[in-house]
Amino acid sequence: DGDGAAVVAAVEAVAERIERERDHLTELDSAIGDADHGGNMARGWAAAAEAARDLDDPDPQTVGKTVGKTLMSKVGGASGPLFGGSLVFASAELDDGIDAESAVAFAETYLQKVEDRGDARLGDQTMVDALTPAVHTFKKSIETDELPPLEALAKAVDAADRGVAFTVPIRARKGRASYLGWRSVGHQDPGATSTLYILEELLSVAA
Ligand code: ADP
Ligand code: MG
Ligand code: MG
């Protein structure tokens, strides 16, 4: 399956990027958390890339589910179940392969699962702040503006980038950073940042 192979390549690109950003993600998490986000994500994505590579001629749904399950068991922390569990669930939308329509359904389901599991909303200084503008921009670019999927993804990445910047001046209301209260203001959220890196790699592999 050609699409499955492309998804495996995307997972490998994400794993390499997360490994390169490991120290930066850990630095961000040391300011408002427990300094493990870089290590959590690097461990999880390395295992996910290995599991994806080991699949025999997989389809996109199988790759997504395998990666999600691996992230659930290997990332740990608060973010593991959010990244991993949501990916397992959203991958069901890819059962007929990847096209503009299924990609939008995948993105919306993923965001909805992150919100359901983490109970965070836009403005709580979490990964939701990168994800929400990205998913809404992707959907609008495809469905309303009728842009090609690649251009829609590029706009979604820009939106996620602005979402990451938006986490800096606001106060954390979910996750470890929320224990700091107002002292979380002025810090960039690690999970929003890693979410942006993942989207950037999806774009660069798709381009
Ligand atoms: P932990 O906080 O358990 O050490 P990580 O450091 O791996 O886990 O991940 C921290 C990131 O997880 C945060 O930066 C934030 O983006 C995200 N996060 C934490 N709690 C929630 C939540 N309830 N909803 C959404 N995202 C969350
Ligand atoms: Mg942490
Ligand atoms: Mg932790």
Side-chain angles (χ1 to χ4, degrees):
D1 184 301
D3 281 352
V7 179
V8 173
V11 172
E12 290 181 311
V14 171
E16 282 168 28
R17 176 72 184 278
I18 294 292
E19 178 57 40
R20 285 201 301 282
E21 308 283 1
R22 174 202 283 254
D23 291 351
H24 181 229
L25 292 172
T26 291
E27 249 170 61
L28 294 176
D29 196 31
S30 69
I32 49 171
D34 55 355
D36 62 356
H37 192 58
N40 287 347
M41 289 292 277
R43 181 176 63 244
W45 281 94
E50 199 179 314
R53 265 193 301 271
D54 285 348
L55 294 169
D56 186 28
D57 192 28
D59 54 275
Q61 176 180 223
T62 304
V63 180
K65 288 195 166 158
T66 302
V67 168
K69 281 181 197 159
T70 309
L71 296 177
M72 280 176 77
S73 70
K74 293 284 159 77
V75 173
S79 65
L82 294 172
F83 281 111
S86 307
L87 180 55
V88 170
F89 224 94
S91 296
E93 302 291 345
L94 304 179
D95 60 345
D96 283 329
I98 303 178
D99 56 16
E101 196 185 328
S102 70
V104 169
F106 170 87
E108 284 192 295
T109 303
Y110 182 88
L111 170 60
Q112 193 192 321
K113 281 290 146 185
V114 170
E115 287 186 334
D116 285 354
R117 282 164 182 261
D119 196 32
R121 296 293 176 270
L122 192 68
D124 288 343
Q125 199 190 57
T126 71
M127 60 175 76
V128 171
D129 296 332
L131 210 49
T132 302
V135 171
H136 289 184
T137 299
F138 188 62
K139 181 180 168 71
K140 176 184 178 288
S141 297
I142 299 243
E143 293 181 357
T144 307
D145 303 336
E146 297 182 10
L147 294 180
L150 198 57
E151 277 176 51
L153 184 54
K155 286 199 178 287
V157 169
D158 285 346
D161 193 44
R162 290 192 293 276
V164 169
F166 167 66
T167 65
V168 177
I170 63 179
R171 172 184 174 173
R173 297 187 185 276
K174 290 287 169 187
R176 273 177 195 284
S178 67
Y179 308 158
L180 295 177
W182 290 105
R183 281 183 294 136
S184 62
V185 173
H187 296 283
Q188 182 176 313
D189 181 65
T193 307
S194 57
T195 297
L196 170 64
Y197 295 155
I198 292 166
L199 290 171
E200 284 179 345
E201 292 309 314
L202 295 184
L203 175 61
S204 79
V205 168

